[in-house]
């Protein structure tokens, strides 16, 4: 039996691996690969955390504390998940901006651009649903603020009740967020990611020269830049540096846990994660009936 033929090497795998990319592709092209690899970190660490996490208002905070203090390497796993979430938001945003500057929204890559924008929204949704799960004061109040934003829109009350699972935040909210965070949004992310990668393979990475050249690009006679080994080597180096950085952050800076949700703190000021601070700041500029503008 010829294993290479059985695995479809000549017809499928070889063209996939050795596909040539635009010769002027720079290091910024590894951002998309880093996003996918960071998602793998989030998936693996999330699975480990799910072994110990209890999505119940009476036990959620204690289970997170148990993971951090009692489980072997628990603080490292939780740290990787925490810092990896911020890194993924940052990487997807940078990838989106670089793609925009390279004109990746233009024909024939319109659907590629739309799926990329959808991926960014899904990643933000994962961040929003994820930071309620520790069930501390920050999670509780940030979720209340975020869930009540739709109230400024016509019919927004229905959206808020759907998000909270009722009139107020409760155990139904926690289990709903946990289900969305671990099942619904990861499935959406994988779906959009599969379509996104497929379209990139079909239409290739955009070449910035296409925006400057009014006609077909001249043939390139230099050394080819391929998905493997050139792009793979760059991506591996970038991911190695990123992973070591996340590991260092996880070891040195344990994610802070505030008091358990429901604790009375008279002067408490709710603050969201850093990637939602822009929205939090907008709400301070636009208040009352003007909040919808923010």
């Amino acid at each position: 039996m010829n294993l290479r033929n059985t695995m479809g090497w000549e017809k499928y795998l070889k063209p996939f691996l050795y596909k040539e990319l635009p010769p002027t592709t720079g290091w910024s092209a590894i951002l998309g690969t880093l996003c996918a690899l960071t998602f793998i970190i989030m998936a693996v660490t999330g699975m480990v955390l799910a072994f110990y996490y209890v999505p119940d208002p009476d036990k959620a905070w204690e289970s997170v504390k148990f993971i951090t203090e009692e489980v072997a390497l628990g603080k490292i796993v939780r740290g990787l998940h925490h810092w990896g979430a911020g890194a993924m938001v940052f990487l997807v945003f940078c990838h989106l901006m670089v793609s925009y500057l390279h004109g990746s929204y233009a024909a024939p890559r319109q659907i590629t651009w739309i799926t990329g924008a959808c991926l960014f929204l899904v990643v933000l949704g994962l961040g929003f649903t994820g930071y309620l799960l520790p069930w501390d004061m920050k999670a509780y109040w940030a979720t209340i603020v975020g869930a009540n934003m739709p109230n400024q829109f016509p019919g927004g009350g229905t959206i808020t009740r759907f998000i909270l699972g009722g009139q107020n935040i409760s155990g139904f909210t926690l289990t709903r967020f946990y289900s969305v965070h671990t099942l619904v949004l990861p499935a959406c992310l994988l779906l959009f990611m599969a379509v996104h990668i497929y379209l990139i393979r079909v239409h290739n990475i955009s070449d910035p020269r296409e925006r400057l050249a009014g006609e077909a690009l001249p043939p390139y006679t230099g050394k080819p830049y391929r998905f493997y080994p050139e792009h793979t080597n760059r991506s591996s180096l970038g991911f190695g540096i990123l992973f070591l950085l996340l590991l260092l952050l996880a070891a040195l800076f344990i994610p802070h846990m505030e008091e358990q949700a429901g604790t009375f703190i008279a002067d408490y000021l709710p603050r969201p994660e850093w990637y939602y601070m822009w929205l939090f700041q907008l709400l301070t500029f636009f208040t009352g009936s003007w909040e919808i503008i923010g």
Side-chain angles (χ1 to χ4, degrees), residues 2 7 20 41 43 46 86 96 111 116 122 140 186 200 210 212 221 225 242-244 267 282:
N2 190 325
M7 297 296 294
E20 290 193 17
I41 293 178
L96 200 63
I111 306 299
V122 172
Y140 184 88
I200 289 174
E210 294 175 357
L212 304 176
T221 57
Y225 182 81
L242 173 65
F243 184 74
L244 289 176
D267 58 346
L282 280 177

Side-chain angles (χ1 to χ4, degrees), residues 92 140 171 209 292:
V92 175
Y140 184 88
R209 297 179 302 164
I292 189 173

Side-chain angles (χ1 to χ4, degrees), residues 5-114:
N5 291 336
T6 304
M7 297 296 294
W9 169 257
E10 293 294 335
K11 187 175 181 180
Y12 300 107
L13 296 180
K14 187 176 179 179
F16 181 87
L17 283 176
Y18 290 96
K19 181 179 177 65
E20 290 193 17
L21 304 177
T24 56
T25 301
W27 280 85
S28 62
I30 72 171
L31 287 171
T33 309
L34 292 183
C35 293
L37 294 174
T38 305
F39 173 68
I40 294 176
I41 293 178
M42 299 300 295
V44 173
T45 55
M47 290 175 191
V48 176
L49 293 173
F51 291 157
Y52 301 96
Y53 178 74
V54 182
D56 181 272
D58 297 326
K59 300 176 182 179
W61 189 85
E62 289 290 343
S63 66
V64 175
K65 186 178 180 182
F66 175 78
I67 291 170
T68 307
E69 299 178 357
E70 303 294 335
V71 176
L73 298 178
K75 68 176 183 180
I76 299 296
V77 174
R78 181 169 171 248
L80 281 173
H81 199 76
H82 172 82
W83 295 110
M88 191 167 180
V89 172
F90 179 72
L91 288 170
V92 175
F93 176 77
C94 290
H95 180 50
L96 200 63
M97 290 300 98
V98 169
S99 299
Y100 175 79
L101 293 175
H102 287 177
S104 299
Y105 52 83
R109 302 183 180 90
Q110 301 97 318
I111 306 299
T112 311
W113 168 259
I114 291 172

